[in-house]
Amino acid sequence: MYYAGFLLKVNGFLYSSQNSETVTCAELTVLGIVNSLAHISSNYKSIVPSDIILSKSAILHERILPSKGLPYEIVSQLLNKYAGSSRLYFLDEDEKSGENNKCETLRKLFHIYVESGIPLAVAVKGKDADESRIRHSIICIGHGSRNYEWSKNPQRISGFSVIDSYRAYNDYILIDDNQPPYTIQEYGDFTVYKDIEIAGFVVSLPRSAFLEADEAYFIGIEALFYFSDTKLDESFLVENYKYDVNNNSLVTRLYLTTSAKFKRFKNKPLTSNKLIDFYLTLNLPHYIWVMEISTAELYSSNLAFGDVIIDATHSNTQNGMDSIISIHYGDRLGCVEFNELSDLINTNREKVRKRWGDFNIYNDVDERFQLFSNNDNSLRSID
């Protein structure tokens, strides 16, 4: 006898629980990230707990079983081995307060990588019901909706009122073995323990994406607000986009993606044929950083009016402006061919930039376009 039915396929992040011998939260973090990536891309290989045990035996100078957890330096080392080129961001105790407060910088970088669709291994500290200190490891795989207070308290950059897009988000989507999968919690209140602190996180970048989030952010800001040939014009913004220092600030949004995915996206929301041709024929490396520029009013409608494309495979961070490929906002549009980057935007020995050249003016390319989006908060959208 045969029974009819439906074949169902489900995409989701792998979820598991600790046992008392081989895996703790740290091992589960590595297993979850690596195996989820392996299920969506042939560039990665699935691993099992015994793989981690063998790797630990070559690193640690004590017995491996029963597992007592892992320092986050080892978590980073394992992710570097199995899931790409890892980068560890961690706060020292003296960096959490006072003049050297780096908590906001950590949060900004955290959001930029989440916005790029990259799963993050997150180290948290807290207290249990008995007030004992707890160290725990979880995975962040996406963010929630915008909050209602995001447009308040902008910062000043070169006289402009600017908001980084991370300020629009409080909620993040977590894989925590102490909670149901896809739990949504506020930043700084991750997991079930009390007095939570986010000590740091590990991001696994593609091996050829040399430029990191903090470097790409600096380059995008430099291009939009300081570099004389390409910086924004306030009167132009006021006239065309109702920019207002007090009521309608600028918004910057940074993410990492592939040129193929970026071009596929750009082919959909644009209406100007000239602008479509520009993006689709632009010579790009495989990985790019993109900084979108918008206003608070436009960003609330998921719209932007410009972007800066940065070569993520560029390794010379000292002369970061070399890595800029194109800048577009309104009817201002300028680019450098990829194979001529080092010749056209470089610095001489006296550290004086060679001229970019005036923007070409295209009267028919001034349009608002949709923000680049990972509609499903999918893993590793940059593959």
Side-chain angles (χ1 to χ4, degrees), residues 41-56:
S41 174
S42 60
N43 293 330
Y44 307 94
K45 179 182 177 181
S46 295
I47 61 174
V48 294
S50 60
D51 292 315
I52 295 180
I53 292 173
L54 290 174
S55 296
K56 287 165 58 178

Side-chain angles (χ1 to χ4, degrees), residues 219 223 308-310 320-327 336 341 345 356:
I219 293 168
V308 181
I309 300 177
I310 302 166
M321 292 294 287
D322 294 4
S323 62
I324 293 178
I325 297 173
S326 76
I327 303 178
V336 176
L341 270 175
I345 311 181
W356 165 285

Side-chain angles (χ1 to χ4, degrees), residues 35-303:
N35 289 339
S36 293
L37 292 176
H39 275 75
I40 63 172
S41 174
S42 60
N43 293 330
Y44 307 94
K45 179 182 177 181
S46 295
I47 61 174
V48 294
S50 60
D51 292 315
I52 295 180
I53 292 173
L54 290 174
S55 296
K56 287 165 58 178
S57 65
I59 300 170
L60 300 178
H61 303 287
E62 59 182 4
R63 69 178 188 174
I64 306 303
L65 297 176
S67 178
K68 299 297 182 182
L70 293 172
Y72 242 63
E73 291 81 2
I74 305 300
V75 172
S76 179
Q77 190 170 348
L78 292 172
L79 288 174
N80 191 68
K81 178 178 181 179
Y82 295 117
S85 180
S86 69
R87 175 72 162 88
L88 173 63
Y89 295 88
F90 224 80
L91 289 176
D92 296 328
E93 289 299 323
D94 61 349
E95 293 178 329
K96 296 177 182 178
S97 60
E99 295 180 359
N100 296 321
N101 190 338
K102 294 186 178 181
C103 291
E104 278 300 301
T105 299
L106 186 79
R107 180 175 180 179
K108 175 168 66 177
L109 298 178
F110 180 95
H111 183 82
I112 289 172
Y113 287 123
V114 171
E115 191 80 271
S116 302
I118 305 176
L120 303 182
V122 187
V124 297
K125 298 178 180 179
K127 295 180 181 179
D128 62 15
D130 298 325
E131 299 297 321
S132 299
R133 294 294 297 175
I134 295 292
R135 295 176 184 269
H136 190 43
S137 179
I138 59 177
I139 306 170
C140 180
I141 62 172
H143 61 69
S145 302
R146 297 191 195 105
N147 63 62
Y148 295 102
E149 304 294 323
W150 70 272
S151 61
K152 295 183 177 180
N153 302 319
Q155 59 180 322
R156 286 300 182 96
I157 300 179
S158 188
F160 289 90
S161 175
V162 184
I163 302 170
D164 292 322
S165 64
Y166 82 93
R167 295 182 177 274
Y169 299 91
N170 288 333
D171 298 332
Y172 291 88
I173 303 168
L174 309 176
I175 299 294
D176 180 358
D177 60 276
N178 289 332
Q179 302 182 84
Y182 300 99
T183 294
I184 299 178
Q185 289 185 287
E186 289 189 7
Y187 186 92
D189 193 27
F190 291 169
T191 199
V192 297
Y193 302 110
K194 300 185 296 182
D195 302 329
I196 288 296
E197 297 177 5
I198 296 177
F201 65 90
V202 178
V203 55
S204 294
L205 293 164
R207 296 190 187 279
S208 60
F210 297 124
L211 211 61
E212 297 173 8
D214 50 344
E215 299 160 342
Y217 177 82
F218 170 80
I219 293 168
I221 294 297
E222 183 83 358
L224 289 172
F225 299 103
Y226 293 102
F227 190 29
S228 59
D229 293 327
T230 62
K231 67 181 181 180
L232 295 165
D233 182 286
E234 184 171 358
S235 59
F236 175 83
L237 298 176
V238 172
E239 180 180 354
N240 291 274
Y241 307 115
K242 302 178 182 178
Y243 164 71
D244 184 273
V245 172
N246 299 312
N247 299 312
N248 192 23
S249 301
L250 296 176
V251 179
T252 61
R253 176 176 180 256
L254 181 67
Y255 54 86
L256 179 68
T257 188
T258 63
S259 57
K261 188 165 186 177
F262 182 72
K263 287 185 176 184
R264 285 196 302 269
F265 172 79
K266 280 295 185 181
N267 193 33
K268 297 177 182 179
L270 298 175
T271 58
S272 166
N273 289 330
K274 186 174 290 186
L275 203 53
I276 292 173
D277 290 342
F278 168 77
Y279 280 109
L280 294 185
T281 59
L282 190 60
N283 194 2
L284 297 174
H286 185 56
Y287 294 110
I288 56 174
W289 284 100
V290 181
M291 178 174 279
E292 292 173 333
I293 183 73
S294 184
T295 63
E297 182 178 304
L298 289 174
Y299 187 73
S300 296
S301 300
N302 295 318
L303 297 174

